[in-house]
Amino acid sequence: MPARPALRPGFLFLLATSLCPQVFSAVPPDLESPEFQLDVTALEPVWRDRFEALRVDEPVAATFLESRKNSFRKGARTFSGTIRVDPQRGVSLHYAEPLDVILVGAIGTLWRRPSSGEWTAYPAPDDGSIGDWTAGLWQFDFPALAKEFAFYGRPLEGQAWELFLTPRENFRLPEIHLRAEDSRLTRIDLELSPTREITYDLKEFDPSPEVGDWDRYFPPTPKP
Amino acid sequence: MKIRHPHRWVIFTLLLGALAIIPLRPLDRLQFEVTSLLPADERDPAVQLVRSFATQAQSRTVLLVAEGVPDAAAAQAVNRIMRAQLAEDPAVAEIWGLDPAQLDESALDSWKVHAVEWFWPQWWDSAGRPTDLEAIANRALDELETFLQRPESFAWEDSVTTDPFLLVPHSLGRLGSVFSIDTGDHEAGRLRWWIKMSGDPFDASARQKLFHALDRAADAVREEIPEVSLQSTGVAQLADASETGIRAEIYRLNWLVGISALLICALFLRRLGLFGPLLLILLASLTGGTLLVFLLNAHLHVITLVVGSILIGVAIDYGLHVFLEAKAASPVERWKRVRRPLLVGSLSTIGGFAVLLLTELPFLRQLGSFMAGGLLAALGASLFYARFGTIRETPVYLLPKLRWVEFPFLRTILLVVAGLLVCGIARIEWNDDIREFNLAVPSADARDAAVRAAFGEDKGTHSLLLGESWQALHDSLEEIARRDLEIPVSSLGVWATAPRLMVEAHAAMRDQPFASAFEQALAARGFEAEAFAPFFEQWKAWIETPLSRTQAEQIASAQFASLPGPVALLAGESGDLHWWLLDSPQPLEAESMADLSARWLPLAQLQSLNDALTRYREQMVRASFYGLSALAIGLLLGYGVRRGLILLLLPALPTAMSLGYFGWRDAPLTLFHLLGAFLSVCLTLDYIVFATSARTENRPLPVSISLSAFTTGVSFAWLATSHIPAISALGATVAMSVAFAWLLALALTGASSLPIKQSLR
């Protein structure tokens, strides 16, 4: 039985939807070839097993280190915290440093709660980049994702592998680069534009977290 | 001179009149909206504002609510369907779901482009209006770095290079302090949309297109999620219900009055041969009224047609006078006998309606011209029949004898009742409200209330600030703040930039090398200064463009015009009139809002237009005075001082009794009660004239007078059943006055005047 998947990147995708249109491709030239392109409707068994293992059916949690780079600032800004994924309620990012803030994404809306405060709705631009396919991310529904993205994947050393998702037509969507070790995601790169990038390094994966206090990490609004 | 076949001449003239009406395009000139009842050149700011509402976004707003949405997935589906159906429909200009994201997103584009010009002065003012460039730069970069430390700042990173001062997020925050969205819809199983229709809500075809679009959307939603119910309301829906109701009201009242008048004639006269001429006289009155009203007025409000139904009941009187009283040996003698009383009786009524042409209210002018034209035509036709018609003796059929009518008591009872009723005049209070013109449609009003409740009833109260400029409104807000009111007031003034501040900020920075200073500060803080080129371009464009107060006012207008969707309803301008909405948790006291740079107006006053209508009522009083003065002079000259005064005062008594009745009922009186009182005096004058003449000559009151009172009284009584309060008030006042006047006439002439005692004469 495969190990519990570490993370679903659905919410992180939503975080990236304040997008600049971008027409570049972050897929490495050597990967962007039919040899590495994946057809999600006809996956090889090894890729099918990898995708199956990523799907989250029970709550999971992990710590993360987020790094943001952009054109107007030298160097990167870093944030750290804990991510919690609940198939019923969505994804919650609890930022511990530098500020104690919890963020939860919903379609078109971002919910925010400071460490000791109430939930407030924060505008997330509804630029059309969030569509029906977004819901598929919560379930890691690859057929739904395949409508908007082309998949390129290849194995790396040992049990590691990487996956590139590149938008087919809607170039407001980001380029996504996933790295995983066997059935656990270890890194996610979101390239929003040639000048903006967000990277998540995932550590301390907890496949069976204690969910008794998870109510404080999710707003009362049900997830879309 | 003798004319053969006088009916043919009347019919021929009627046809000519009807043909003359066609090129006037009467159906195209009908109006239904309440605001068109008021003068187009009315300078009252409240009326001007209501007119602008009728033509701007306020009237094109449609509120739509879906209830019974079972879960979030269904909510998403419903939203998707509604947008797919309505966003591209030509009948819908805009559709906004009531969630913070959409409202904020739409404003961003124009705000980003104009951030420096629109919002930097406010930043500068809130920072204490610094002039030291290093202090300005450091303060801005401190705020920026603090902001970038917030995890959610990713959503704004695109804008940082254009807006390092975070002017747009600050502006959104200020807007959010004024206009917040209730985001509890999901829990309530409810979704809401604010829609702006493309067409004119007062145009029937535009309304139908909108309704079809909403119906299609509702069908599409129910096809997928059957348990969801949708309701909508707006000016379009209310106007449609009102127009439908008014049309039905017109048909109902006109048919009732016409049938009642003819039934009364049938009951008492029972001569089929009379119905032809009477019908022709009625048709002549309608034709004459329609012709004159469209010749003298550019438009006709349908309420005039509602009231105009009384024309039938009044015009038929002239025919009754001719056919019941015109018996004589020869047509010339008949003509001489009937013309004076007919002219005396009719001209007072026609004159009374003609006086309305002197008023400012278009509705009253239309009513006056319709009634005067109709009655003149009826008078002409009646006189024509009197001179050239073949008139046979007309038997008057009797009611069964009513033993309980013991006349000796009638005078005593009438005297006591009159005394009691007249005392009620001391209790009269006046209250004018434009909503008196509204036809109450319970189903539409209930739906409107339900949808508005779903949108959240305001727990506070609203009022308006009206001024000649945006700066006047800002000055008033400052004045209100200085008064330190116990009740807090919020408005878009906290979000908008005052024109004077724009000019002052521009003047303070115009000659300063701020761009280079800020560039150095950025580099010192570890930012890539060249990445902020978009901001420097905006700054350069702003600082190098001269800015006057007039230009600043235009910028302020553009700022308000950028407000999205429903937020745009909180402020506006129309010509020289600028306004925005004030919100307070409790009603503000008028004294605390007096003497401001701008005019303060409670929203209730806007809903009632009380001031404007009170002025019109005062005009009506003056017009009535002039009309009655002319009437008095005529009576004094025609009948002498003593009898003239009696003839003037006696018709006033039934009218006073009617008004006193309302006084005893503690019902506030309106302009239409006053109109009814004036018309009552004019209408009942001929009853009194004939009664005093009959008394002098010791003969009974002519039967035609009683029948005239019946038809007129019944006409106005039907009017009193109207669902439009103003029309009902008019009808009730006149109906009661006519009834009291007839009883007074009986009291003056004795029991022999009762139709039950009169027979063939």
Side-chain angles (χ1 to χ4, degrees):
Chain A
M1 186 175 174
R4 278 284 178 87
L7 183 65
R8 291 186 304 167
F11 170 65
L12 301 171
F13 208 96
L14 289 176
L15 280 183
T17 53
S18 56
L19 302 176
C20 288
Q22 52 90 16
V23 294
F24 70 97
S25 171
V27 181
D30 59 332
L31 193 64
E32 200 172 13
S33 71
E35 179 188 352
F36 297 103
Q37 188 164 9
L38 303 177
D39 180 356
V40 296
T41 60
L43 286 170
E44 293 176 6
V46 64
W47 284 105
R48 193 169 56 240
D49 291 342
R50 285 168 179 159
F51 290 175
E52 247 340 276
L54 282 180
R55 194 171 70 231
V56 173
D57 296 319
E58 298 293 334
V60 296
T63 59
F64 69 87
L65 179 69
E66 180 182 319
S67 174
R68 298 181 188 178
K69 294 179 188 173
N70 48 51
S71 64
F72 60 79
R73 192 77 190 238
K74 296 168 184 165
R77 287 172 293 132
T78 58
F79 302 83
S80 63
T82 304
I83 184 167
R84 293 171 176 81
V85 181
D86 185 328
Q88 302 303 317
R89 293 192 281 190
V91 177
S92 167
L93 279 174
H94 177 200
Y95 289 83
E97 294 289 337
L99 296 175
D100 191 342
V101 168
I102 303 170
L103 297 182
V104 175
I107 292 183
T109 306
L110 189 64
W111 288 91
R112 178 183 186 276
R113 187 168 79 79
S115 60
S116 55
E118 300 298 322
W119 289 101
T120 53
Y122 194 86
D126 182 16
D127 58 5
S129 62
I130 300 176
D132 288 341
W133 61 267
T134 312
L137 284 176
W138 296 107
Q139 304 298 328
F140 232 124
D141 184 352
F142 285 99
L145 289 171
K147 293 177 187 173
E148 297 284 351
F149 297 92
F151 284 58
Y152 297 88
R154 66 182 172 188
L156 299 173
E157 290 182 9
Q159 298 294 318
W161 53 271
E162 62 180 354
L163 189 67
F164 285 89
L165 276 65
T166 184
R168 292 182 189 277
E169 292 174 358
N170 184 356
F171 295 108
R172 297 181 69 89
L173 303 177
E175 297 271 342
I176 304 173
H177 179 205
L178 308 175
R179 288 203 195 105
E181 183 77 31
D182 195 12
S183 61
R184 187 165 66 88
L185 271 172
T186 58
R187 184 180 172 100
I188 299 169
D189 290 300
L190 301 172
E191 297 203 15
L192 310 176
S193 73
T195 57
R196 289 182 65 201
E197 180 182 322
I198 300 178
T199 300
Y200 295 88
D201 287 306
L202 305 167
K203 304 176 192 305
E204 296 180 23
F205 168 68
D206 184 354
S208 301
E210 177 56 53
V211 299
D213 66 340
W214 274 30
D215 281 349
R216 70 180 294 265
Y217 297 104
F218 291 90
T221 309
K223 73 175 179 71
Chain B
M1 176 181 156
K2 188 176 177 181
I3 292 180
R4 296 174 65 183
H5 308 299
H7 299 311
R8 294 181 186 179
W9 284 95
V10 175
I11 294 171
F12 177 69
T13 309
L14 270 177
L15 288 174
L16 280 181
L19 286 172
I21 290 174
I22 293 173
L24 298 176
R25 297 179 300 111
L27 295 180
D28 294 339
R29 293 159 67 179
L30 286 178
Q31 291 176 324
F32 287 85
E33 61 269 24
V34 169
T35 53
S36 58
L37 289 167
L38 303 172
D41 57 352
E42 174 59 61
R43 299 304 302 170
D44 186 305
V47 175
Q48 285 185 312
L49 196 58
V50 169
R51 279 193 183 282
S52 73
F53 285 172
T55 57
Q56 293 178 0
Q58 283 77 9
S59 70
R60 296 170 192 261
T61 294
V62 176
L63 304 180
L64 184 61
V65 61
E67 303 272 13
V69 181
D71 51 41
Q76 190 180 346
V78 171
N79 245 321
R80 172 177 48 80
I81 295 169
M82 292 301 290
R83 287 184 187 284
Q85 290 285 328
L86 295 177
E88 301 301 322
D89 195 296
V92 175
E94 299 173 34
I95 173 168
W96 297 83
L98 286 200
D99 61 80
Q102 185 181 8
L103 287 174
D104 291 334
E105 165 69 13
S106 66
L108 293 182
D109 291 340
S110 61
W111 292 10
K112 285 176 187 174
V113 171
H114 299 282
V116 171
E117 182 183 52
W118 288 2
F119 303 124
W120 194 87
Q122 285 204 27
W123 182 96
W124 178 69
D125 186 60
S126 65
R129 304 195 176 200
T131 53
D132 181 83
L133 301 183
E134 192 176 335
I136 294 174
N138 285 333
R139 185 186 176 103
L141 293 176
D142 285 345
E143 286 183 9
L144 180 60
E145 286 185 329
T146 302
F147 176 76
L148 290 175
Q149 285 189 336
R150 296 169 60 171
E152 66 271 20
S153 65
F154 74 89
W156 293 102
E157 285 186 1
D158 281 353
S159 307
V160 166
T161 54
T162 307
D163 183 18
F165 281 77
L166 304 175
L167 301 172
V168 174
H170 285 325
S171 185
L172 275 174
R174 286 195 299 275
L175 188 65
S177 71
V178 179
F179 185 77
S180 61
I181 306 289
D182 173 14
T183 53
D185 277 354
H186 290 298
E187 294 168 353
R190 180 179 59 207
L191 290 171
R192 296 172 295 177
W193 300 269
W194 178 91
I195 292 171
K196 182 177 171 183
M197 64 181 288
S198 303
D200 183 354
F202 298 108
D203 179 344
S205 65
R207 288 201 300 266
Q208 290 310 311
K209 287 177 187 169
L210 172 72
F211 297 156
H212 288 149
L214 294 175
D215 287 342
R216 283 194 296 271
D219 290 342
V221 167
R222 278 193 289 269
E223 196 175 317
E224 195 159 321
I225 309 168
E227 58 266 42
V228 170
S229 65
L230 286 114
Q231 274 191 314
S232 67
T233 189
V235 171
Q237 284 85 343
L238 294 172
D240 194 70
S242 176
E243 187 173 321
T244 304
I246 289 178
R247 286 183 192 275
E249 192 87 330
I250 292 172
Y251 291 135
R252 182 179 75 93
L253 288 175
N254 276 280
W255 276 107
L256 284 172
V257 170
I259 290 172
S260 300
L262 292 174
L263 275 177
I264 289 172
C265 294
L267 182 68
F268 284 94
L269 304 180
R270 303 183 196 179
R271 204 186 98 196
L272 284 179
L274 271 182
F275 284 94
L278 285 177
L279 190 61
L280 288 176
I281 291 172
L282 292 182
L283 290 174
S285 68
L286 290 173
T287 305
T290 305
L291 195 58
L292 191 64
V293 77
F294 282 112
L295 282 175
L296 296 183
N297 300 276
H299 296 96
L300 177 66
H301 199 282
V302 289
I303 286 186
T304 308
L305 295 179
V306 177
V307 181
S309 59
I310 58 173
L311 178 63
I312 298 171
V314 180
I316 203 170
D317 294 352
Y318 304 156
L320 291 175
H321 281 309
V322 168
F323 292 108
L324 294 185
E325 306 299 330
K327 296 169 291 295
S330 68
V332 174
E333 288 177 14
R334 183 176 64 226
W335 163 252
K336 288 178 181 175
R337 182 176 173 177
V338 74
R339 68 179 178 188
R340 185 163 179 253
L342 192 56
L343 284 170
V344 168
S346 63
L347 288 180
S348 64
T349 307
I350 294 171
F353 282 107
V355 163
L356 299 181
L357 294 171
L358 303 176
T359 61
E360 276 188 29
L361 266 183
F363 160 67
L364 291 181
R365 289 203 301 269
Q366 292 162 17
L367 180 64
S369 47
F370 182 76
M371 292 299 293
L375 292 176
L376 274 172
L379 177 65
S382 301
L383 288 174
F384 181 81
Y385 275 118
R387 176 64 181 87
F388 299 107
T390 302
I391 304 206
R392 299 191 317 213
E393 289 193 24
T394 302
V396 179
Y397 287 85
L398 312 175
L399 295 172
K401 288 190 177 180
L402 302 172
R403 288 192 178 179
W404 53 267
V405 181
E406 297 295 334
F407 187 75
F409 293 107
L410 182 62
R411 286 200 185 105
T412 308
I413 295 170
L414 197 61
L415 200 64
V416 171
V417 169
L420 283 172
L421 286 175
V422 170
C423 291
I425 290 180
R427 299 164 59 89
I428 284 176
E429 285 184 1
W430 297 93
N431 179 33
D432 296 292
D433 193 322
I434 192 74
R435 288 167 290 190
E436 293 284 312
F437 288 96
N438 278 342
L439 177 72
V441 183
S443 58
D445 292 341
R447 183 178 62 235
D448 181 71
V451 173
R452 289 184 184 278
F455 272 76
E457 288 300 326
D458 287 316
K459 308 222 174 14
T461 59
H462 291 137
S463 54
L464 290 163
L465 271 182
L466 293 84
E468 292 181 350
S469 64
W470 296 117
Q471 188 58 49
L473 301 183
H474 282 282
D475 290 340
S476 295
L477 281 189
E478 289 176 10
E479 291 160 18
I480 292 170
R482 282 197 291 273
R483 294 181 186 186
D484 200 21
L485 301 179
E486 290 183 0
I487 302 171
V489 176
S490 66
S491 73
L492 277 181
V494 301
W495 166 81
T497 306
R500 186 189 304 129
L501 177 59
M502 291 183 201
V503 173
E504 289 170 352
H506 188 271
M509 302 303 292
R510 186 173 49 216
D511 299 320
Q512 301 271 21
F514 173 73
S516 57
F518 193 53
E519 205 168 334
Q520 289 172 15
L522 282 168
R525 294 280 193 116
F527 289 95
E528 300 283 0
E530 55 269 20
F532 291 84
F535 165 74
F536 289 115
E537 285 170 15
Q538 250 198 62
W539 181 270
K540 184 171 186 282
W542 176 61
I543 214 69
E544 291 182 353
T545 305
L547 184 63
S548 65
R549 276 292 292 274
T550 304
Q551 289 162 326
E553 284 281 337
Q554 292 168 355
I555 292 171
S557 293
Q559 206 176 343
F560 281 105
S562 74
L563 287 171
V567 187
L569 299 180
L570 300 181
E573 58 181 320
S574 175
D576 291 336
L577 196 64
H578 299 70
W579 61 271
W580 61 46
L581 203 69
L582 298 182
D583 184 55
S584 55
Q586 296 161 30
L588 296 169
E589 296 291 331
E591 298 80 36
S592 65
M593 304 299 284
D595 301 323
L596 295 172
S597 299
R599 177 178 169 181
W600 177 76
L601 198 67
L603 202 61
Q605 189 170 339
L606 200 67
Q607 291 169 333
S608 69
L609 295 181
N610 179 273
D611 281 355
L613 289 178
T614 299
R615 202 174 72 251
Y616 297 138
R617 175 163 47 81
E618 291 164 358
Q619 280 180 5
M620 184 71 223
V621 170
R622 284 195 292 274
S624 304
F625 176 75
Y626 297 141
L628 291 175
S629 298
L631 189 65
I633 292 171
L635 289 172
L636 291 173
L637 289 176
Y639 291 93
V641 174
R642 182 172 171 272
R643 192 164 178 219
L645 281 174
I646 293 172
L647 289 176
L648 192 61
L649 292 174
L650 282 177
L653 180 60
T655 304
M657 290 165 68
S658 299
L659 294 180
Y661 166 78
F662 290 112
W664 282 115
R665 287 197 58 195
D666 290 327
L669 269 60
T670 67
L671 166 67
F672 284 85
H673 291 97
L674 183 64
L675 175 63
F678 171 67
L679 293 177
S680 297
V681 173
C682 299
L683 282 165
T684 59
L685 178 64
D686 56 340
Y687 306 161
I688 304 302
V689 167
F690 279 94
T692 54
S693 295
R695 182 183 173 86
T696 303
E697 297 167 12
N698 199 27
R699 59 182 176 82
L701 186 71
V703 173
S704 60
I705 296 297
S706 295
L707 290 181
S708 171
F710 290 168
T711 56
T712 302
V714 166
S715 300
F716 280 93
W718 280 123
L719 214 58
T721 66
S722 171
H723 298 109
I724 301 171
I727 309 305
S728 176
L730 172 66
T733 306
V734 178
M736 275 197 292
S737 300
V738 167
F740 290 141
W742 181 65
L743 290 173
L744 179 61
L746 284 185
L748 285 171
T749 53
S752 59
S753 295
L754 284 171
I756 62 170
K757 290 202 177 284
Q758 290 199 5
S759 58
L760 185 67
R761 296 185 60 216

